[in-house]
Amino acid sequence: MMKSDDQTNDSVDVAKPKVTILFVDDNPEEFIIMQWLCNGSEHIRANLVCVTDIEKACESLEAQNIDIILLDNKLHLNDDFRTSVPVLRSKNFTGPIGIVSSSIEPEYFQEFEQYGADFRIGKNELDRNSLGFILDEFATNKREFLDE
């Protein structure tokens, strides 16, 4: 499990909301990209937790407060979000789950909400701006509403 420690940056803006992101991807090289995206965010201070499979994701959900999950669509050859998301929801995670995939074109992606996912995004669309928008829309606004 890889963690990004937002305290290593001396210029951390404490006015930014801190968001714990669980990133689930079976390709550890994707962790480096996601860490880069999170570290450059103007919107949030990210605590990025990276795991390679659903079992480790479930362990992370039990061990800490996760604000949002970004889930790779295909974690195994014959497995996709239609089986992964219900497993995460069965652990009583009620926060947002986003599906990240190299292609969101297949027809079954139109049914993402039926399986408990909140949004989908192509890996080619994921940059610091889109990540900031996603976190503002799905993670930080919900937290502010709950804190009021």
Side-chain angles (χ1 to χ4, degrees):
M1 178 166 41
M2 178 180 161
K3 285 184 128 180
S4 171
D5 185 359
D6 60 359
Q7 300 303 317
T8 59
N9 184 351
D10 292 333
S11 63
V12 170
D13 182 355
V14 293
K16 295 180 192 178
K18 184 175 180 180
V19 176
T20 300
I21 304 164
L22 177 59
F23 182 49
V24 187
D25 197 309
D26 57 351
N27 180 357
E29 291 178 6
E30 296 287 340
F31 299 165
I32 297 166
I33 296 167
M34 184 59 70
Q35 186 171 13
W36 179 80
L37 291 172
C38 289
N39 286 343
S41 175
E42 297 176 10
H43 305 273
I44 54 104
R45 290 182 301 138
N47 175 29
L48 182 63
V49 179
C50 299
V51 297
T52 56
D53 58 46
I54 288 298
E55 292 78 19
K56 290 180 180 133
C58 291
E59 291 171 10
S60 294
L61 288 174
E62 292 172 1
Q64 55 196 307
N65 290 328
I66 301 294
D67 295 305
I68 187 169
I69 297 174
L70 299 176
L71 175 68
D72 183 38
N73 179 42
K74 294 225 179 214
L75 295 174
H76 303 288
L77 292 177
N78 296 319
D79 204 7
D80 60 37
F81 77 88
R82 294 175 289 181
T83 55
S84 301
V85 172
V87 171
L88 296 170
R89 291 292 185 206
S90 76
K91 297 298 179 186
N92 296 320
F93 181 74
T94 58
I97 298 177
I99 309 305
V100 181
S101 182
S102 56
S103 173
I104 57 171
E105 296 301 319
E107 191 172 313
Y108 68 86
F109 267 105
Q110 304 310 313
E111 304 168 353
F112 69 96
E113 292 175 319
Q114 294 176 17
Y115 295 92
D118 297 284
F119 64 92
R120 64 190 187 278
I121 187 166
K123 287 184 179 179
N124 62 332
E125 300 173 295
L126 195 56
D127 59 20
R128 287 178 172 159
N129 288 330
S130 62
L131 180 63
F133 174 79
I134 288 167
L135 295 174
D136 282 345
E137 184 68 22
F138 289 99
T140 56
N141 287 341
K142 181 177 180 182
R143 177 193 306 236
E144 289 169 5
F145 179 74
L146 292 174
D147 288 345
E148 290 179 355

